[in-house]
Amino acid sequence: MALASNARIGWQNLADLGAVTASSFSQLTPPALLQNPHVARKWRTEATSSAAVTIDLLAQRSVDCVALMGLNLGSAGTTRIRLSTGDSSAIDGDAHDSDPSGVTAGRVNERYPALIYLLPSAVTARYIRIDLAQSGNAYIEAGRVFAGLAHQFDYNFTYGWGRTWADGSRLTESRGGQDYIDRGPRRRQVDISFDYLTTAQRNGVVEDIDQFNGRHTDVLLILDPSSAELGRDSIWGLMEDMTPVSQPFHQTFAKTYRIKERL
């Protein structure tokens, strides 16, 4: 059994193949924007401090991870995630209910505005419901939704990995020596290597990501699934480089990823 702390990665977003609805939305910010690749183009409710997002996967699918990126909840915000096999509202939560007795606060940190929820194990369901609330909010909004499987690596990434904030600001030095800064967006970036991939992971997970996602389709990398701050320790973004898979040892493969956060 894989260790709970080993990194996980999700690359097939089942939510993009389905239909997304919401309990409230403004005319120019419909829930379909949660399927738009740009996180900054957000679904937003009308004036309310609570809302629900519902995803119809259009068929029974295996799911063990649900995520919302660009979410405007803070640590006091409450969430509840339910999955259903047949209830289109997913209120019954017969496949999974994160909080059978109510809701839970603290799943989102405003510094890292994402809800990352990992189920204890994969379940088969068609409908997903995400309840969101934050007292005092003028509205609820989010920029991207993910639902699907997040594969856990048999062996974790190796030492030497790095995480940084990439700053898109441009600095210009004047003729007088003054620095003028055109401030740009900042986003997180992760450089990470898996040096002990199995043959199955090389031919399955790595091959699928390289072939179907490449540099054009986002992935969800969860550095530490056991973390109490999954928003901080996860990144939703694009691969910056398409590095080759190497074979340092017999029946052992290695792969390096550089993933930059999607805004």
Side-chain angles (χ1 to χ4, degrees), residues 44 61 64 135 145 153 219:
R44 178 182 289 184
R61 304 280 190 173
D64 64 13
S135 179
V145 65
F153 291 94
V219 298

Side-chain angles (χ1 to χ4, degrees), residues 164-178:
T164 188
W165 284 88
D167 193 337
S169 300
R170 292 180 295 177
L171 186 149
T172 303
E173 184 176 332
S174 72
R175 297 177 67 178
Q178 292 78 32

Side-chain angles (χ1 to χ4, degrees), residues 216-231:
H216 61 273
T217 300
D218 304 299
V219 298
L220 176 63
L221 177 65
I222 304 168
L223 296 167
D224 181 6
S226 64
S227 172
E229 290 284 356
L230 284 174

Side-chain angles (χ1 to χ4, degrees), residues 139-154:
Y139 51 83
I140 302 294
E141 68 175 10
R144 198 71 170 92
V145 65
F146 173 88
L149 294 173
H151 175 83
Q152 188 161 49
F153 291 94
D154 292 353

Side-chain angles (χ1 to χ4, degrees), residues 73-96:
L73 266 60
S75 57
T78 62
T79 59
R80 183 178 183 179
I81 301 92
R82 284 174 278 187
L83 291 88
S84 175
T85 57
D87 177 12
S88 60
S89 71
I91 290 176
D92 69 359
D94 67 332
H96 178 79

Side-chain angles (χ1 to χ4, degrees), residues 158-162 191:
T158 54
Y159 289 110
W161 71 281
D191 291 87

Side-chain angles (χ1 to χ4, degrees), residues 47-64:
T48 181
S49 60
S50 63
V53 173
T54 305
I55 308 162
D56 179 359
L57 300 177
L58 305 183
Q60 299 291 332
R61 304 280 190 173
S62 292
V63 177
D64 64 13

